[in-house]
Amino acid sequence: MSTYDYDLFVIGVGSGGTRAARMAASTGARVAAAESSWLGGTCVNVGCVPKKLLVYGSHFSEDVEDAKAYGWDLKIEGFDWSRLIENKNTEIARLNGVYRRLLDNAGVELFETHAEIIDRHTVQVGDRTITTDKLLIATGGWPTMPDLPGIEHAVSSNEVFYLESFPKRFVVVGGGYIALEFAGIMKGMGAEVTQIYRGEQILRGFDGDVRETVASEVRKKGIDLRTGVNIWEIEKHDGTLLAKLTDGTEIVADCIMYATGRHPRIDGFGLEKLGLEITKQGAIKVDDYSRTSLDNVWAIGDVTHRMALTPVAIHEAMAFYRTEFLGDPTPVDHADIPSAVFSQPPVGSVGLTEEQAREAHGELDIYRSTFTPMKHTLTGRDEKTLMKIIVDQKSQKVVGVHMVGPDAGEIIQGIAIAVKMGATKQDFDRTIGIHPTAAEEFVTMRETAA
Ligand code: NDP
């Protein structure tokens, strides 16, 4: 029997911390956890969950327009941002409760307060000094705001979910996941949206065809996507914001949001006392099992800056639990992780981009298909779906699959199983399609692209 108060102490109960704490406790280990802000972390409170609800909310304007071709005469009477935010907040509060119960039912002692690390086996929680055998840091990440004059007038993804009124003129800075998602959300809800991206093409790191397709589709939807430009100063005049751009132009806005990346949360809880190795990106350095440079201290999720995705944090939590509590050393597997950008239209991707695949495999067979989603054959909406399969020519293994179009996330999740299993193009070919779906295109593409 250990002489410590607990076998495991977890700092931060987001997706990863909660899973690790619950699973460890299920083995009979004595587990405690501390959380100073939101139960459920970024994903539940200011990330995936509320974002997806807002994406749903933003779709109705197009759906009502599209309904006409299907015989419906519908009229939009208005849009009430406050009602949507209130309903969203009710759902988040319910989920906070679910997290509290999950931990409680698992027998995890939860301290809903700040925890301060004293040393590798000691944590201060309020006026209690607690000792622990193992320490798991799962403090997540935080939006990064660049330093420029007037940045205090801008919001990040933390505040945008709680805006008191709907911003009719919305500016979003960034060309990644969050910027695209919010450009689509605000556009769908009726705002005039400008998206500012400093580089040449949005979605750096994604497949080239995906990047081009998304840029073209969001522009068709009326988002003023400006590339190769940045904001250098923000001024506030009587509640209205003025963004001054590096190309000499100015934009008047009700809200300017920065979606310029997220950084690991390593400050403010005594981490420096441990002297852990920190990476160039300011993340806690861990090995393949999520162990830090101290053998009883572990870190998972966004604080390690490996892949800032909820299911990845959960996977890392499970690998930690298996390794430390089941005696089954389990390295984290970061290969072929699918992801989606809930832009409009959305993106789904798994495996390598064409650019990465060329570097890794040399000769490739590329299958590409672009078509109008069936729904829009009646509505006449000018929207294109892109599907792309990247195959290593020699082995015929499918090494990357990408899609831009309705339900891309749902479709790619299924395809990701095949890719993870090492499916070949011939495996795709001998799979029968489901007709009529968009997804069947993935098993019927026969001609390689030029
Ligand atoms: P991303 O890293 O995806 O994108 C950041 C964007 O901001 C890039 O376009 C980057 O440009 C730009 N940028 C960075 N610094 C500056 C600056 N100083 N001035 C102007 N532009 C700048 O980060 P996000 O904030 O969108 O999201 C953070 C992470 O959260 C994602 O990487 C993802 O892991 C996760 N996430 C996942 C979601 C999902 O799964 N659907 C949804 C939301 C977030 P450049 O390309 O030139 O570097």
Side-chain angles (χ1 to χ4, degrees), residues 165-184:
S165 57
F166 181 69
K168 291 207 175 68
R169 295 162 299 182
F170 182 75
V171 173
V172 61
V173 183
Y177 283 82
I178 300 178
L180 273 158
E181 293 178 343
F182 270 89

Side-chain angles (χ1 to χ4, degrees), residues 221-280:
K221 286 190 189 289
I223 291 168
D224 180 6
L225 170 61
R226 303 189 193 180
T227 55
V229 70
N230 215 339
I231 295 178
W232 66 272
E233 184 178 25
I234 299 170
E235 284 178 5
K236 187 170 183 177
H237 303 284
D238 302 326
T240 300
L241 302 176
L242 181 71
K244 297 186 176 178
L245 274 62
T246 48
D247 62 2
T249 59
E250 295 181 343
I251 308 171
V252 176
D254 301 305
C255 177
I256 300 176
M257 173 185 176
Y258 273 78
T260 44
R262 296 174 57 84
H263 58 271
R265 277 185 98 173
I266 58 168
D267 293 325
F269 60 98
L271 186 73
E272 63 286 351
K273 292 186 204 119
L274 299 182
L276 295 182
E277 243 182 279
I278 302 294
T279 68
K280 276 203 305 283

Side-chain angles (χ1 to χ4, degrees), residues 72 153 256 270 429:
W72 293 91
H153 304 308
I256 300 176
D429 293 345

